[in-house]
């Protein structure tokens, strides 16, 4: 039981493998023609790009180049402005440094004036105090003189009692006068000092005010320089942003245009290649049609030659048969006249007549009336020889009537008919192997139904010896060599039965059936 189960399982596995192989083979038969279509006609697209479009894009590129040059000049100008702004910024920074130094120096001067004014004010205060002292002494002296009356110094001298008293009085008057002079001199000096210090104070304060005004101007200039510095920095930043934005925009535009030009050039090249391929296909079809017409004419001429040769051979054989029959009849008559046995002659004549009729029904309508068995045997031998000759001639005629030219002449009338995978109709649609199979079947030649099987069918022929009508086998495709480097086959759904280059892909084998 176990062995039977194993055998049954093996049979099931084998069946599965066979089914999978058949499915894979059918899938390959479906895919390979499509792959061949893609390889052979890879450029079959709907193209709309022309050379004028390319020229227009090139003009746009040149215009963009001019715009880029102008933009570059503007950017160079901006760069110059930026460099100038940087120089101005450096100058302003230097100016700010100088103004700061000037302001510091001015502030030091103002501080020194503050010290000088403070010292002058102190000296003025001391002078004013001294003036006030002398002024008070002067008032006391005047008040004293007013209280003592208006006695003059002369009266004091004249009232002297003696010379010594006169000297004392003179010394006293001299001291009083000196005292009064000192008070007046001190008061005058103090007033002059006060006036001098006041003038000096006014001058110092005026100079300080001027320095303070200068300081204010310097501070205002410093503020203006700082504002200008900020403006220059903003200008530099703005120029940098403008520069970067313009560079980015121009670069993006140029990249896009270069990409468009590249795509257009590739599309135009593909279109031109497709047009060239179409033109080459048209030329090949014309050449193939001419070759097919020539092959058909040659096949017709060859058929006529073969028919004429067959007719001549048949006529020659008929003449030979008639001559043999006449010779046999003459010999039979001669023997009949010399024969003494009438019954034997009659029987022989009857037998000969029977044999002759049999020979005639087999080969030709020619009959010979003979009376002897010897003539009959000879007639039968000749008839047999004639039959053999006729059969041989007929077989030779049938074999030689199938030529490569006749195959192509017959196959070329289906050019333009559709491709149908798995189809077997030369008019309504067939695939590559079906086309070859049906054309060969028309000539009574048995062939495989799958393209891969043709590689081992018929008689092998080298590619260099390939002739019109030979079957050319590829990987996944098969067709007839039509001459002039052309292949006639059911090429694919997009092309139907048509011509293409026999070298459109690698040739696996070339086979011949006649």
């Amino acid at each position: 039981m176990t062995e039977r189960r194993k055998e049954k399982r093996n049979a099931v596995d084998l069946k599965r493998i066979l089914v999978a192989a058949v499915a894979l083979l059918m899938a390959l038969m479906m895919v390979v023609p499509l792959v061949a279509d893609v390889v052979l006609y890879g450029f079959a697209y709907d193209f709309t790009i022309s050379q004028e479009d390319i020229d227009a894009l090139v003009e746009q590129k040149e215009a963009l180049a001019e715009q880029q040059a102008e933009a570059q000049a503007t950017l160079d100008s901006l760069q110059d402005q930026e460099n100038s702004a940087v120089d101005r910024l450096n100058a302003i920074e230097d100016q700010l440094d100088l103004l700061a130094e000037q302001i510091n120096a001015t502030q030091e001067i103002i501080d020194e004036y503050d010290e000088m004014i403070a010292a002058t004010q102190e000296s003025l205060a001391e002078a004013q105090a001294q003036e006030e002292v002398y002024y008070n002494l002067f008032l006391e002296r005047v008040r004293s003189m007013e209280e003592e009356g208006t006695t003059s110094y002369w009266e004091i001298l004249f009232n002297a009692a003696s010379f010594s008293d006169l000297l004392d009085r003179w010394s006293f008057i001299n001291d009083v006068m000196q005292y009064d002079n000192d008070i007046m001199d001190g008061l005058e000096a103090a007033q002059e000092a006060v006036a001098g210090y006041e003038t000096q104070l006014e001058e110092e304060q005026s100079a300080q005010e001027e320095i303070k005004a200068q300081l204010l101007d310097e501070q205002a200039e410093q503020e203006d320089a700082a504002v200008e510095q900020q403006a220059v920095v903003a200008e530099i930043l703005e120029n940098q942003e403008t520069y970067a934005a313009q560079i980015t925009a121009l670069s993006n535009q140029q990249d896009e245009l270069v990409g468009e030009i590249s795509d257009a050039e590739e599309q135009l090249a593909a279109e031109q290649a497709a047009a060239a391929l179409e033109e080459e296909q048209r030329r090949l079809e014309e050449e193939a049609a001419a070759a097919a017409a020539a092959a058909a004419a040659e096949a017709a001429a060859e058929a006529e030659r073969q028919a004429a040769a067959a007719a001549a051979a048949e006529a020659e054989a008929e003449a030979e048969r008639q001559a043999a029959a006449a010779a046999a009849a003459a010999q039979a008559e001669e023997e009949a006249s010399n024969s003494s046995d009438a019954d034997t002659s009659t029987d022989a004549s009857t037998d000969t007549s029977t044999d002759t009729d049999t020979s005639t029904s087999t080969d030709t309508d020619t009959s010979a009336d003979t009376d002897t068995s010897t003539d009959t045997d000879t007639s039968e031998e000749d008839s047999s020889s004639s039959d053999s000759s006729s059969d041989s001639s007929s077989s030779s005629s049938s074999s030689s009537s199938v030529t490569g030219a006749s195959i192509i002449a017959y196959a070329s009338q289906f050019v333009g008919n559709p491709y149908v995978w798995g189809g077997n109709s030369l008019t309504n649609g067939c695939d590559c192997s079906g086309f070859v199979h049906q054309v060969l079947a028309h000539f009574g030649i048995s062939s495989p139904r799958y393209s891969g099987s043709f590689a081992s069918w018929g008689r092998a022929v080298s590619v260099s010896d390939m002739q019109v009508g030979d079957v050319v086998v590829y990987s996944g495709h098969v067709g007839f060599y039509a001459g002039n480097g052309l292949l006639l086959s059911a090429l694919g759904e997009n092309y139907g039965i048509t011509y293409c280059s026999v070298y459109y892909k690698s040739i696996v084998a070339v086979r011949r059936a006649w």
Side-chain angles (χ1 to χ4, degrees):
M1 293 293 293
T2 303
E3 294 296 331
R4 294 184 63 184
R5 287 180 181 178
K6 288 183 178 179
E7 291 178 358
K8 188 175 182 179
R9 182 178 299 174
N10 292 334
V12 172
D13 292 340
L14 180 60
K15 185 176 181 180
R16 289 178 180 174
I17 292 172
L18 290 175
V19 171
V22 172
L24 178 60
L25 180 61
M26 295 180 67
L28 288 175
M29 290 178 65
M30 295 179 64
V31 172
V32 168
L34 298 178
V35 174
D37 294 344
V38 173
V39 173
L40 181 59
Y41 296 99
F43 295 107
Y45 301 101
D46 184 15
F47 298 101
T48 57
I49 294 296
S50 63
Q51 186 60 46
E52 289 75 10
D53 298 329
I54 298 293
D55 295 339
L57 289 174
V58 172
E59 290 179 359
Q60 292 180 11
K61 183 179 179 182
E62 292 176 354
L64 181 61
E66 293 179 358
Q67 294 179 5
Q68 188 176 12
E70 294 176 358
Q72 189 61 48
T74 302
L75 293 176
D76 293 340
S77 175
L78 288 175
Q79 187 66 38
D80 295 338
Q81 294 178 10
E82 183 177 346
N83 294 334
S84 175
V86 172
D87 294 338
R88 279 187 315 182
L89 182 62
N90 294 332
I92 291 172
E93 290 178 353
D94 295 339
Q95 182 180 5
L96 287 173
D97 293 339
L98 292 174
L99 286 174
E101 293 178 1
Q102 290 178 1
I103 289 172
N104 292 332
T106 303
Q107 188 63 49
E108 290 178 359
I109 293 173
I110 292 174
D111 293 340
E112 290 179 359
Y113 270 114
D114 287 339
E115 294 178 359
M116 291 174 61
I117 289 172
T120 301
Q121 287 176 345
E122 184 178 355
S123 298
L124 177 60
E126 292 177 354
Q128 287 175 345
Q130 188 69 26
E131 179 187 14
E132 186 177 0
V133 170
Y134 281 108
Y135 182 70
N136 291 332
L137 290 175
F138 174 76
L139 290 179
E140 290 177 359
R141 181 75 180 103
V142 170
R143 217 172 13 256
S144 175
M145 290 178 65
E146 288 177 352
E147 290 175 356
E148 292 178 359
T150 58
T151 301
S152 64
Y153 294 125
W154 294 107
E155 289 179 352
I156 294 173
L157 290 174
F158 287 141
N159 290 328
S162 63
F163 182 73
S164 175
D165 184 27
L166 177 63
L167 292 175
D168 291 335
R169 286 178 180 271
W170 173 254
S171 177
F172 171 75
I173 291 172
N174 203 18
D175 290 339
V176 171
M177 289 179 66
Q178 185 63 38
Y179 177 74
D180 290 339
N181 288 333
D182 291 339
I183 290 175
M184 291 302 295
D185 291 339
L187 180 59
E188 184 177 357
Q191 290 176 344
E192 290 179 355
V194 168
Y197 283 127
E198 288 178 347
T199 301
Q200 181 179 353
L201 181 61
E202 290 177 357
E203 291 177 352
E204 291 175 350
Q205 289 177 342
S206 177
Q208 188 182 42
E209 291 299 325
E210 291 179 358
I211 294 298
K212 287 182 178 182
Q214 182 179 355
L215 178 62
L216 293 176
D217 293 339
E218 291 173 351
Q219 290 175 343
E221 186 177 358
Q222 186 182 38
E223 292 177 357
D224 293 339
V227 172
E228 184 178 2
Q229 182 186 31
Q230 294 177 355
V232 170
V233 171
E235 180 182 357
I236 292 174
L237 294 177
E238 183 179 0
N239 289 343
Q240 289 177 345
E241 293 176 357
T242 303
Y243 178 84
Q246 291 188 6
I247 284 292
T248 302
L250 288 172
S251 178
N252 292 337
Q253 290 179 8
Q254 190 172 19
D255 292 341
E256 291 176 359
L257 190 56
V258 168
E260 290 179 4
I261 291 175
S262 177
D263 293 341
E265 288 176 347
E266 290 179 359
Q267 190 172 358
L268 179 61
E271 183 180 15
Q272 291 174 346
L277 183 61
E278 183 178 357
E279 179 64 22
E280 179 66 14
Q281 180 71 13
R282 184 188 62 78
R283 185 186 66 78
L284 292 176
E285 288 178 356
E286 291 177 354
E287 292 180 355
E298 183 181 353
E302 180 65 22
E304 291 179 359
R305 287 193 299 269
Q306 291 178 359
E314 183 67 24
E316 183 179 357
E318 180 65 22
E320 290 178 355
R321 284 195 300 272
Q322 290 178 358
Q331 185 178 0
E333 289 179 359
E334 182 179 357
E335 290 179 354
S337 63
N338 295 326
S339 176
S340 58
D341 192 354
D343 293 336
T344 304
S345 176
T346 302
D347 293 338
S349 176
T350 302
D351 295 338
T352 302
S353 177
T354 302
D355 293 339
T356 301
D357 290 339
T358 303
S359 176
T360 302
S361 65
T362 303
D363 295 328
T364 64
D365 293 337
T366 304
S367 63
D369 294 332
T370 60
D371 295 330
T372 64
S373 61
T374 304
D375 293 341
T376 302
D377 294 338
T378 303
S379 177
E380 289 177 355
E381 182 179 356
D382 292 341
S383 176
S384 175
S385 176
S386 176
D387 290 344
S388 176
S389 176
S390 176
D391 292 341
S392 176
S393 176
S394 175
S395 175
S396 176
S397 175
S398 175
S399 176
S400 61
S401 64
V402 180
T403 64
S406 61
I407 290 175
I408 294 301
Y410 176 74
S412 62
Q413 63 181 319
F414 303 106
V415 171
N417 289 344
Y419 173 96
V420 176
W421 185 84
N424 290 294
S425 175
L426 295 174
T427 55
N428 296 328
C430 59
D431 56 14
C432 63
S433 59
F435 174 69
V436 175
H437 179 75
Q438 293 297 331
V439 169
L440 293 175
H442 173 75
F443 294 94
I445 300 174
S446 177
S447 65
R449 183 54 184 83
Y450 301 106
S451 59
S453 300
F454 279 93
S456 59
W457 167 86
R459 181 164 55 90
V461 179
S462 65
V463 175
S464 60
D465 293 333
M466 186 166 48
Q467 296 181 8
V468 173
D470 286 344
V471 176
V472 185
V473 185
Y474 305 89
S475 176
H477 191 62
V478 66
F480 292 110
Y481 179 58
N484 296 322
L486 297 178
L487 178 76
L488 176 58
S489 66
L491 190 57
E493 292 182 355
N494 294 334
Y495 317 105
I497 299 174
T498 186
Y499 296 94
C500 70
S501 173
V502 74
Y503 301 106
Y504 87 99
K505 65 177 182 177
S506 298
I507 297 175
V508 174
V510 179
R511 313 296 291 187
R512 187 172 298 166
W514 62 89

